[in-house]
Amino acid sequence: MSDRDRTGEDPRRRESRMAPEEITLQALREGRITSEDVTIRRQTLEAQAERAMAEGYPQLARNFRRAAELTMVPGETLLQIYEKLRPKRASHGELLALSQEIIARFDAPETGAFIREAAEAYRRKGLLRES
């Protein structure tokens, strides 16, 4: 599988104006690097997921798809999710509600499924907050 998308363009290069070898500590110190030069894109992660699946790595593909979804979630929301997923920080119902919210607000079914799976694992292991 090629790293190029259907247009023949490498999706990793679309947003950055710099070649990967130009992204150095010195360039950062000189202010020549912007966040656009080092931010991973949803398309890149989705392409990696497709490649992982084609190569026979379904769990890795799922991780890449979840990472692709998370590129659309604001940092503050990511921190809230992280906080809720810490042991004893949320009830089973709160985690299930969070799962549905993430799916609905950010079109993130893989992430929602991950949170649901965590809720079930936390229930089995006694890691939920007591209601």
Side-chain angles (χ1 to χ4, degrees):
M1 177 192 288
S2 169
D3 288 332
R4 306 225 177 257
D5 68 9
R6 289 184 193 100
T7 67
E9 192 174 275
D10 185 339
R12 296 170 297 183
R13 304 301 321 136
R14 248 188 233 136
E15 303 295 329
S16 179
R17 57 182 167 56
M18 300 183 83
E21 59 274 5
E22 294 177 291
I23 300 174
T24 64
L25 190 53
Q26 184 64 32
L28 179 65
R29 287 184 186 127
E30 294 171 0
R32 293 185 286 126
I33 296 175
T34 68
S35 63
E36 292 298 312
D37 295 315
V38 294
T39 300
I40 194 156
R41 304 285 179 258
R42 186 174 189 151
Q43 309 93 295
T44 301
L45 291 162
E46 288 171 348
Q48 292 297 325
E50 288 176 26
R51 183 163 192 165
M53 188 60 88
E55 296 289 331
Y57 299 100
Q59 185 60 48
L60 181 59
R62 187 174 181 206
N63 289 342
F64 277 127
R65 283 192 300 272
R66 192 169 45 249
E69 291 173 356
L70 292 175
T71 64
M72 307 308 292
V73 179
E76 185 174 313
T77 303
L78 285 173
L79 290 174
Q80 291 169 354
I81 294 168
Y82 172 78
E83 182 63 27
K84 290 280 187 186
L85 287 172
R86 294 179 66 197
K88 307 283 186 177
R89 300 297 172 109
S91 68
H92 187 261
E94 287 172 327
L95 289 176
L96 294 180
L98 176 62
S99 168
Q100 292 304 309
E101 178 184 357
I102 296 304
I103 292 168
R105 282 182 62 199
F106 302 106
D107 186 27
E110 290 287 340
T111 304
F114 178 82
I115 295 169
R116 276 192 313 278
E117 290 167 14
E120 296 308 320
Y122 285 17
R123 182 191 298 198
R124 285 191 308 274
K125 295 182 180 198
L127 297 175
L128 294 168
R129 188 184 77 226
E130 301 298 322
S131 297

